[in-house]
Structures are given as structure tokens and as C-alpha cells.
Amino acid sequence: QVQLVESGGGLVQAGGSLRLSCAASGRTLSSYAMGWFRQAPGNKREFVAAISWSGRRTDYADSVKGRFTISRDNAKNTVYLQMNSLKPEDTAVYYCASPRRPYYYSAAYSSDYDYWGQGTQITVSS
């Protein structure tokens, strides 16, 4: 059974930084792409960032490009999202996700992801 567990959320002032972690169990992440999505109250879930199984390819939503960095440590079976220069509009629940198929990279389409974490709340105060 695949489980994804996010951690690292919290309350931060605008301009601050946070790093999210997504630890996987039940599978070895080195064969799987990973993504981060977020959902603010009243909004649809939206794509934030994705990384290929090797880490060689990354994609970002325009709203976070240049501020967020996705990375992975396959030895630790963990994916990270470093968030800098946070803005109040970044406030949301952040989810990590993984597709069922190995060596499959979709990036922005949430429907291509089969496994989801429970989410971690990020609140950015102005």
C-alpha cells in the first residue's frame, strides 16, 4: 500500500520560507515522478511543481516559478518543496502526489496522479 505523508507546513510571514517534505512508504520513489499541488479554500486544486523520477526534469506553475524549488532524495524516498519569498496568496493546503505508473511524467494534470498525501497547511500572513 502506497502512502505519502507531507510535513513542514505552518504559519509564516510574507517574504519568509518553508520547506515541505513528502515521505513515501510502500514503494521506492526512484522510479516515479512526483508532484506538488495546492488547494485554497473555495478554489480548485492547482498544480504547483513536478519532478521526474531521475530529478532531471522539473516543471513549475507560473505563479511559483523562481520562488519554489522541487527536489528529491531517492535514497531517503522523499521529495521536497522549498518555498521562498512566500506571499499571502500561497496560503493553501499542499499535497504531494505520485502516479501509479513508473517512468511516467505528466506534470500538471492532477488526474494523472493516483496516490495523494493527506495535505499540510501553509498559511502566509501579510
Side-chain angles (χ1 to χ4, degrees), residues 12 44 51 60 62 78 90 97 104 109 117 122 125:
V12 64
K44 293 181 180 179
I51 188 167
Y60 297 91
D62 287 343
T78 301
D90 293 319
Y104 176 75
Y109 295 100
I122 303 297
S125 62

Side-chain angles (χ1 to χ4, degrees), residues 4-7 9 20 36-37 45 92-96 116-122:
L4 303 175
V5 179
E6 303 96 338
S7 61
L20 304 183
W36 284 97
F37 290 76
R45 190 171 297 186
V93 177
Y94 283 70
Y95 301 89
C96 66
W116 294 81
Q118 83 288 349
T120 186
Q121 176 72 46
I122 303 297

